[in-house]
Amino acid sequence: MTEEIIIAGFGGQGVLSMGKILAYSGIMQDKEVAWMPSYGPEMRGGTANVTVIISDERISSPILQKFDTAIVLNQQSLDKFEEQIKVGGTLVYDPNGITKEPTRKDINIYKIEGNALATELGNAKTFNMIILGAFMKVKPILSLEDVEKGLGKSLPERHHKLIPMNMKAVQCGMDNIKVVQEL
Amino acid sequence: MAEVRLMKGNEVIAEAAIRCGCDGYFGYPITPQSEVMETLMIRKPWEETGMVVLQAESEVASINMVYGGASCGKKVMTSSSSPGVSLMQEGITYLAGAEIPALVVNVVRGGPGLGTIQPAQSDYYQTCKGGGHGDYRLIVLAPASVQEMNDFVDLSFELAFKYRNPAMILSDGVIGQMMEKVTLSPYKARWTDEEIEEISGSWATTGKKANRSKNVSTSLELDSDKQEEFNLHLGRKYKAMEENEVRYEKISCDDAEYMFVAYGSSARICQKAIEICRERGIKAGLLRPITLYPFPTKQIKEMVPQLKGVLSVELSMGQMVDDVRLAVNGAIPVEHYGHVGGIIHSPEEIADALETLIIKA
């Protein structure tokens, strides 16, 4: 099993930390993992993205042009990464702010209203965990237990009280993902 | 028990330094390696092992602090990125000239000049062909994973002290910024004064005892006969490194008809390119130099009889390719491929380049 994932959105949406939790969750299952961010001016605004690879084998390139799954959180990222999904691969996106819907017919497409759901949950910061939950629903390569452990590893101890709220957000994402097209 | 963590390459350099018994780190922040000193400042090793961590006023100051600390036989290091390492070159050649062991880490970014903060491998010439003036060599290790960022800190110090020569870890923005699973090394205690006396007492300025002559740390010799003898001594030392310290890795080389030569991040990307090539029916392999100096010249040469061509892949306009061409010595075609300016080549681009530059050329 090798899953090559790109997560892309605006700086500040929690793209990098979502990737980190995903990578830590992979380690909990004793998988090989790589987390390769875009770095530099992005952290001061604009688009941010991170490649996460989870595999049973030694990981070759952390730099990729084709992905099994793209998790896309703004229009620029959709424009850029829709075409980089492998045939038969998966796109998960948040329709908030999307004006040009995805057009590919040879991939699986799912929608998650992450922004709206985070507002409903009463905590905008849980947005990235809702998206992570949605991803886990369509790609169950990791268990909820792994993610909970991954959160514990990735958050400093003083923030561990936030884990239940984050897990609630993950569950919310799993429950609310919608199929746009399935092959 | 071994500790497995998810860490950035840069963070691991700091952690590995603390764990291998490093006595001091002197640095100045620069992207993409600032996490090295940030991690050290967060970890506060001065409270734990007594390791000194100091932000100097410049790169020139940091390398001279390294010169001072290392002259006393201490395990000391610095880290920077390309423009900062340029500033350190005077200090580095002085270290080589005074035969002082120390570690410099370069997390390379694109140049020339201030260039870009994005990854590059365009400091091969600076690192392996001089950088500073005079006939000297650095021991150069090129990590291709976060695990090797951990392993090569201790190894660099080991080699530096074995040969009384400065060592460099030549990394890049990809390996520095990437997070991977890493097994951290167990703690080694810092050397005691007695141990330093035993290991480096013949040259280190540890305070003159009544029973020995004074040790002087210098790279100045005004007597030409003595200077020539010193240069010949260095030459013998470098020859010993070439004979004993070449490190490399071969991947899918057994049946290879075409071979990539690449180090660091490019070597990782080439591994994926091999998979793509083999899906296209092209038998490709990779020879990854782990030591860039000493370079695996002999090992490349030994591969030549079974090969039809070699593609040297580097995030540069073509620097290491010179050494690959010397190893192949005109027997088969050798070309260079690489993106520059902070753009990173994809596995597909490398596979395509092998076809257009070597196979169809």
Side-chain angles (χ1 to χ4, degrees):
Chain A
M1 190 282 300
T2 297
E3 178 76 11
E4 296 171 332
I5 307 155
I6 179 86
I7 310 169
F10 288 118
Q13 276 181 317
V15 165
L16 299 189
S17 51
M18 177 183 161
K20 194 172 162 185
I21 292 160
L22 199 56
Y24 253 123
S25 309
I27 289 186
M28 294 303 128
Q29 265 202 10
D30 216 16
K31 307 264 188 222
E32 297 301 317
V33 298
W35 176 96
M36 181 66 219
S38 57
Y39 67 87
E42 291 94 336
M43 67 198 279
R44 289 149 190 108
T47 60
N49 65 68
V50 60
T51 300
V52 177
I53 306 169
I54 301 175
S55 179
D56 292 322
E57 288 149 43
R58 175 175 161 176
I59 292 169
S60 57
S61 177
I63 307 293
L64 298 169
Q65 210 172 35
K66 294 276 178 197
F67 300 92
D68 297 305
T69 301
I71 301 169
V72 162
L73 306 173
N74 65 14
Q75 186 68 53
Q76 291 103 305
S77 302
L78 183 60
D79 294 343
K80 183 170 177 190
F81 293 111
E82 185 184 358
E83 61 184 66
Q84 294 188 20
I85 301 168
K86 292 177 193 170
V87 173
T90 300
L91 169 67
V92 177
Y93 76 105
D94 186 333
N96 181 40
I98 298 291
T99 49
K100 275 172 26 210
E101 295 289 329
T103 54
R104 290 237 341 232
K105 297 288 169 228
D106 56 354
I107 55 172
N108 299 299
I109 303 178
Y110 304 89
K111 224 188 240 195
I112 176 75
E113 302 262 4
N115 273 296
L117 290 162
T119 311
E120 267 176 47
L121 280 179
N123 188 339
K125 283 185 182 169
T126 58
F127 167 74
N128 62 346
M129 297 307 291
I130 294 172
I131 304 292
L132 177 62
F135 166 76
M136 284 179 54
K137 177 79 178 176
V138 292
K139 283 282 169 102
I141 53 170
L142 302 167
S143 70
L144 271 176
E145 200 190 345
D146 294 326
V147 172
E148 193 164 357
K149 282 192 204 155
L151 263 170
K153 278 276 182 186
S154 127
L155 290 173
E157 211 140 295
R158 64 179 189 280
H159 289 149
H160 277 193
K161 57 179 187 293
L162 302 172
I163 291 175
M165 189 179 62
N166 279 287
M167 291 310 292
K168 200 174 138 194
V170 170
Q171 191 60 53
C172 170
M174 292 180 89
D175 296 342
N176 287 286
I177 186 161
K178 293 189 178 70
V179 179
V180 177
Q181 99 187 2
E182 258 177 359
L183 298 176
Chain B
M1 200 183 80
E3 273 184 80
V4 177
R5 295 225 208 130
L6 180 72
M7 289 176 85
K8 277 190 179 192
N10 288 335
E11 295 167 347
V12 164
I13 290 281
E15 190 65 40
I18 299 168
R19 285 169 183 253
C20 81
C22 183
D23 294 300
Y25 171 95
F26 309 95
Y28 187 79
I30 180 170
T31 305
Q33 66 77 54
S34 296
E35 292 88 352
V36 179
M37 191 161 45
E38 282 169 16
T39 305
L40 286 167
M41 291 298 184
I42 291 164
R43 283 282 271 103
K44 297 189 175 72
W46 53 91
E47 291 176 1
E48 188 184 345
T49 69
M51 175 183 175
V52 172
V53 182
L54 192 66
Q55 176 172 338
E57 68 269 35
S58 72
E59 288 87 348
V60 176
S62 9
I63 194 69
N64 283 295
M65 289 173 178
V66 166
Y67 189 4
S71 292
C72 304
K74 299 279 186 185
K75 261 190 204 178
V76 296
M77 65 180 289
T78 184
S79 68
S80 190
S81 180
S82 311
V85 177
S86 290
L87 286 167
M88 293 181 182
Q89 289 304 326
E90 182 194 48
I92 291 172
T93 175
Y94 277 46
L95 284 164
E99 295 198 271
I100 302 295
L103 170 60
V104 180
V105 180
N106 184 359
V107 182
V108 180
R109 59 189 249 184
L114 272 178
T116 167
I117 60 171
Q118 299 300 326
Q121 296 179 303
S122 44
D123 291 357
Y124 183 89
Y125 282 158
Q126 186 197 54
T127 312
C128 299
K129 307 288 174 192
H133 61 276
D135 263 332
Y136 78 95
R137 294 291 199 170
L138 296 176
I139 299 160
V140 185
L141 290 159
S145 64
V146 173
Q147 185 64 51
E148 286 187 343
M149 291 287 255
N150 175 79
D151 301 347
F152 289 178
V153 172
D154 193 26
L155 177 61
S156 296
F157 276 122
E158 188 190 311
L159 294 173
F161 276 87
K162 181 174 175 187
Y163 291 97
R164 277 187 64 188
N165 201 72
M168 184 173 288
I169 291 179
L170 191 69
S171 183
D172 62 61
V174 173
I175 307 293
Q177 292 294 326
M178 173 170 62
M179 283 205 286
E180 287 188 302
K181 198 160 90 169
V182 57
T183 305
L184 296 172
S185 304
Y187 281 88
K188 272 189 194 172
R190 286 173 50 230
W191 287 331
T192 60
D193 288 351
E194 291 73 29
E195 284 169 322
I196 289 174
E197 193 62 42
E198 196 187 312
I199 295 161
S200 309
S202 64
W203 58 267
T205 51
T206 52
K208 185 190 167 306
K209 312 288 183 299
N211 59 355
R212 70 157 164 86
S213 57
K214 64 182 177 184
N215 289 337
V216 180
S217 176
T218 179
S219 60
L220 176 70
E221 181 51 71
L222 294 176
D223 181 332
S224 292
D225 288 334
K226 285 185 183 164
Q227 180 64 31
E228 185 179 48
E229 183 44 48
F230 177 69
N231 283 122
L232 293 172
H233 157 73
L234 286 184
R236 288 189 290 275
K237 190 165 88 170
Y238 301 144
K239 194 158 184 295
M241 289 180 197
E242 287 170 13
E243 278 165 11
N244 303 318
E245 305 302 345
V246 173
R247 286 166 170 79
Y248 64 98
E249 182 186 15
K250 281 200 228 171
I251 294 171
S252 305
C253 275
D254 287 352
D255 65 341
E257 294 176 347
Y258 297 94
M259 190 169 79
F260 298 112
V261 179
Y263 62 92
S265 56
S266 282
R268 292 288 293 273
I269 304 167
C270 280
Q271 285 171 48
K272 189 93 180 171
I274 290 172
E275 292 170 27
I276 296 167
C277 287
R278 287 189 175 253
E279 279 165 23
R280 294 177 187 176
I282 300 162
K283 287 181 181 166
L286 166 70
L287 191 143
R288 171 171 83 93
I290 293 172
T291 48
L292 296 179
Y293 184 82
F295 192 73
T297 306
K298 188 170 135 245
Q299 289 74 13
I300 292 173
K301 194 180 166 191
E302 281 167 2
M303 283 298 296
V304 167
Q306 76 180 72
L307 298 174
K308 294 177 183 165
V310 176
L311 188 66
S312 175
V313 182
E314 189 180 46
L315 292 164
S316 77
M317 291 299 289
Q319 300 189 14
M320 179 184 64
V321 67
D322 291 1
D323 285 331
V324 179
R325 285 204 171 105
L326 283 171
V328 171
N329 202 15
I332 49 170
V334 177
E335 295 296 338
H336 161 80
Y337 176 76
H339 266 294
V340 286
I343 308 284
I344 307 170
H345 27 242
S346 68
E348 286 81 359
E349 285 176 315
I350 293 173
D352 291 347
L354 179 65
E355 293 201 56
T356 51
L357 296 174
I358 300 283
I359 299 175
K360 291 176 188 158

